Amino acid sequence: QLQLVESGGGLVQPGGSLRLSCAVSGFTLNYHAIGWFRQAPGKEREGVSCISHGGISINYAGSVKGRFTISRDNARNTVYLQMNSLKPEDTAIYYCARFVDNSCSTYDSRRVGYWGQGTQVTVSS
């Protein structure tokens, strides 16, 4: 059974850090681009970061560039999102997703074949 399971969310103060993990099962991580999305209350889901198979292509939304780092460990079938210098506006539910192809060309949700269940990140003092 194909699954993506996020973990690592929580409550953190502004300026703090969190590392999210996306553990996948039921498919080989190495052959798919994986993305992180987030959805804040009352807002649409937005793409945050993407990493292609082999880690050759990586991109970030402008709002997180320089603060977030995406990585993957194919041996552990896990994708990570290291989030530093967190801001209150980063508060959202974070989802990992498997794209239907191996490209990080866009964050169009129609390109997502599978979603995780999400993990809550709250940045507040």
Side-chain angles (χ1 to χ4, degrees):
Q1 182 179 359
L2 194 150
Q3 281 189 310
L4 298 92
V5 179
E6 303 93 335
S7 62
L11 173 64
V12 64
Q13 292 186 342
S17 298
L18 284 174
R19 189 177 79 157
L20 305 183
S21 299
C22 174
V24 307
S25 60
F27 67 94
T28 304
L29 182 62
N30 198 40
Y31 298 106
H32 298 274
I34 302 294
W36 284 97
F37 291 73
R38 68 185 181 186
Q39 187 166 21
K43 295 187 177 181
E44 293 187 354
R45 190 175 298 187
E46 63 173 348
V48 174
S49 183
C50 176
I51 184 167
S52 67
H53 76 89
I56 296 174
S57 177
I58 293 176
N59 60 43
Y60 300 95
S63 59
V64 307
K65 194 171 294 184
R67 300 188 297 121
F68 291 10
T69 303
I70 193 171
S71 62
R72 59 196 291 160
D73 184 337
N74 292 336
R76 296 180 182 270
N77 264 6
T78 302
V79 175
Y80 303 98
L81 186 69
Q82 177 68 43
M83 306 186 296
N84 298 329
S85 302
L86 283 162
K87 305 175 181 180
E89 51 264 43
D90 294 317
T91 295
I93 300 174
Y94 284 71
Y95 302 88
C96 66
R98 190 189 86 166
F99 288 105
V100 297
D101 55 33
N102 297 325
S103 169
C104 287
S105 57
T106 73
Y107 292 106
D108 189 336
S109 60
R110 291 172 294 181
R111 292 184 54 242
V112 174
Y114 294 93
W115 294 94
Q117 83 289 350
T119 185
Q120 176 71 47
V121 171
T122 303
V123 185
S124 175
S125 55

